[in-house]
Amino acid sequence: MLDIKFIRENPEIVKKGIKNKNEKDTVDQILSDDVWRRDLIVQIDKLRSEKNSVSQDIGIMIKDGKDVTELKERMKKVGDSIDSLNKELKFVENRIYDNLIWIPNLPHESVPIGKSSEENVEVRQWLPDGFTFENEVKILDHIELGKKLKILDFERGAKITGSGFPVYMGKGAQLERALINYMLDYHIKDHGYTEVIPPLLVNRESMFGTGQLPKLEEDMYLAEKDDLFTIPTAEVPITNLHRNEILEENQLPINYVGYTACFRREAGSYGKESKGFLRVHQFNKVEMVKLVKPETSYEELESITNDAEDILKALNIPYRILMLCSGDLSFAAAKCYDIETWSPAENKWLEASSCSNFENFQARRANIRYRKTENKKLDFVHTLNGSGLATSRVMVSILENYQTPEGKIIVPEVLQKYTGFKIID
RNA sequence: GGAGAGGUGGGUGAGUGGCUGAAACCAACGGUUUGCUAAACCGUCGUAGUGGGAAACUGCUACCGAGGGUUCGAAUCCCUCCCUCUCCGCCA
């Protein structure tokens, strides 16, 4: 959520940002409502002030045994005026709020302006030693491999739940678990994150806090009886851990990492892009979340991205980093790097991670503040998160990049001590 | 699911209609004292909105779980909802 004061003072900047993000511009309506609102507040406060002081007098007069009937009647009328102005105020405040919650975060100045993912900018690429994009032997895709080696079962997943709910079997399940544990341990031991195992269902306030609501309601699973959503990412419960809290400056930065299953309805995205792991409704993800001081958040964005990259380097998987253009940024993000890993069978890059700085956009919605040591003043923290990483996409790259000419899978070296085996055949 | 208790400032906790934005204590911060630490003493110590001011600052308003109601006046009375705790039942 943007600060209405900021909008009031910088309407043109806000309008430009909204346009670059392809969102609806209600700035003019907000501004005129804001004038109306403040005018009402001044009127109401004046009346209330009068009412308060006269009411106090009435108390004293009653004690002194004086007649207060007339004053009472007058104050009742003042009360009525306040009530009717208040109704008007509520109306205009609601309208401002309804518009405000749909205003996206503004892109950071370093973000390229663009309409869609076509205009994202590649920042760097990392390829293992001796890697080449050309392949002499036929590369099996992860679906064929999964079937052949009996480690993935998409059909049975579809039977027991529906399409997009994969089943991991045998060594596939063990590899998945190894990958999750490896990533968690790496972030905990080498990158200094604190592990969190959060709830997988969250309430509306949490979904609002991180900015999934109101925009993405249709993309999430909802348990209607309890009005709880299954999380689309661990970002939601973990960032909301500190909702409505005041932190001390010396507690920052807070770095959390958590593994959770993630659930996404992916409404309206059926078809070619959705086979196998490429688009699923449930997947596993290790997520990093940071709560930091505002002045450090852009350094932290680089740092969290590097933390995700370290995993891929250790796994020896080719990847590239994209800086998202304004039009491809999520609603709440100010700047975002996507990490894509290479799929030789698909012959394309697959998004495995998204590392974003939300500045204080989420912190405002979730009311997460910190007290500055220097002057004791309160300010909103900046929040960031990054996948570190989504296992389904990494799994595609592992299976495809680590296959032998015979169609077996060599377990990446760093995972071998977690799996206890070196090959899947 | 049933029965009961309760939600007040960073914490503990007082407060049942008016002079309470809220006692007291603790914590925190500033100071005095001190070789250092501690103790003691003094002082400061909520958030937000809005108006005035270049600013330091200051006026007013709101906020005692949330929302409504009664009243000239509500932390205090009434209604609805949410949450927490205890006991019982059920269950992993």
Side-chain angles (χ1 to χ4, degrees), chain A residues 122-185:
Chain A
E122 185 175 311
V123 179
R124 59 183 172 272
Q125 222 177 69
W126 184 91
L127 306 173
D129 286 342
F131 174 82
T132 157
F133 286 100
E134 317 302 324
N135 294 292
E136 282 134 38
V137 291
K138 161 99 174 114
I139 297 279
L140 297 178
D141 72 27
H142 73 279
I143 301 174
E144 297 169 298
L145 284 167
K147 201 166 199 167
K148 178 168 173 278
L149 298 171
K150 296 192 168 56
I151 54 175
L152 297 174
D153 194 334
F154 293 100
E155 285 81 5
R156 288 201 173 91
K159 173 170 69 183
I160 58 181
T161 305
S163 76
F165 289 89
V167 178
Y168 300 75
M169 300 288 287
K171 285 185 170 172
Q174 287 177 270
L175 181 62
E176 175 78 357
R177 197 154 45 79
L179 187 56
I180 292 165
N181 280 330
Y182 172 68
M183 295 193 292
L184 281 173
D185 286 346

Side-chain angles (χ1 to χ4, degrees), chain A residues 20-274:
Chain A
N20 288 337
K21 264 200 161 177
N22 307 322
E23 297 280 354
K24 194 178 164 209
D25 182 352
T26 54
V27 169
D28 290 332
Q29 170 90 69
I30 291 173
L31 290 178
S32 68
D33 281 349
D34 182 48
V35 172
W36 183 9
R37 168 180 156 268
R38 282 186 291 161
D39 178 57
L40 286 168
I41 288 173
V42 170
Q43 292 184 55
I44 290 170
D45 281 359
K46 263 189 200 147
L47 291 174
R48 275 215 262 249
S49 176
E50 183 193 351
K51 191 180 80 167
N52 287 345
S53 72
V54 174
S55 291
Q56 224 169 65
D57 293 345
I58 290 175
I60 295 163
M61 289 168 77
I62 288 173
K63 254 184 202 154
D64 296 347
K66 291 179 185 156
D67 178 38
V68 293
T69 324
E70 213 170 297
L71 274 182
K72 273 193 184 181
E73 266 167 38
R74 219 181 85 208
M75 284 309 104
K76 198 170 174 65
K77 276 182 192 149
V78 171
D80 290 344
S81 314
I82 292 172
D83 283 349
S84 81
L85 287 171
N86 231 340
K87 270 187 194 141
E88 213 178 312
L89 180 64
K90 282 236 164 89
F91 168 80
V92 70
E93 277 182 339
N94 284 337
R95 193 160 70 184
I96 290 171
Y97 180 80
D98 290 342
N99 282 320
L100 215 48
I101 60 173
W102 284 91
I103 302 281
N105 200 1
L106 306 178
H108 186 252
E109 56 187 12
S110 63
V111 169
I113 311 281
K115 285 258 173 289
S116 70
S117 55
E118 310 275 299
E119 291 169 78
N120 294 342
V121 174
E122 185 175 311
V123 179
R124 59 183 172 272
Q125 222 177 69
W126 184 91
L127 306 173
D129 286 342
F131 174 82
T132 157
F133 286 100
E134 317 302 324
N135 294 292
E136 282 134 38
V137 291
K138 161 99 174 114
I139 297 279
L140 297 178
D141 72 27
H142 73 279
I143 301 174
E144 297 169 298
L145 284 167
K147 201 166 199 167
K148 178 168 173 278
L149 298 171
K150 296 192 168 56
I151 54 175
L152 297 174
D153 194 334
F154 293 100
E155 285 81 5
R156 288 201 173 91
K159 173 170 69 183
I160 58 181
T161 305
S163 76
F165 289 89
V167 178
Y168 300 75
M169 300 288 287
K171 285 185 170 172
Q174 287 177 270
L175 181 62
E176 175 78 357
R177 197 154 45 79
L179 187 56
I180 292 165
N181 280 330
Y182 172 68
M183 295 193 292
L184 281 173
D185 286 346
Y186 199 139
H187 293 312
I188 294 163
K189 289 176 191 153
D190 292 23
H191 296 147
Y193 288 79
T194 302
E195 184 171 1
V196 180
I197 302 181
L200 302 180
L201 289 138
V202 298
N203 55 31
R204 272 179 193 278
E205 291 72 36
S206 296
M207 282 300 186
F208 180 81
T210 33
Q212 278 72 24
L213 289 179
K215 197 185 165 188
L216 300 178
E217 174 140 14
E218 287 310 305
D219 292 320
M220 300 186 293
Y221 291 97
L222 172 63
E224 279 186 59
K225 264 191 185 170
D226 300 292
D227 205 32
L228 295 174
F229 294 88
T230 55
I231 57 170
T233 158
E235 159 196 354
V236 178
I238 296 179
T239 307
N240 276 282
L241 281 174
H242 295 291
R243 173 151 49 85
N244 291 327
E245 288 186 15
I246 294 171
L247 304 162
E248 290 303 324
E249 181 171 341
N250 61 21
Q251 290 176 264
L252 304 176
I254 292 174
N255 299 317
Y256 289 130
V257 65
Y259 151 70
T260 68
C262 299
F263 305 89
R264 298 186 183 180
R265 291 186 67 228
E266 303 289 356
S269 64
Y270 297 98
K272 42 192 178 329
E273 288 288 310
S274 58

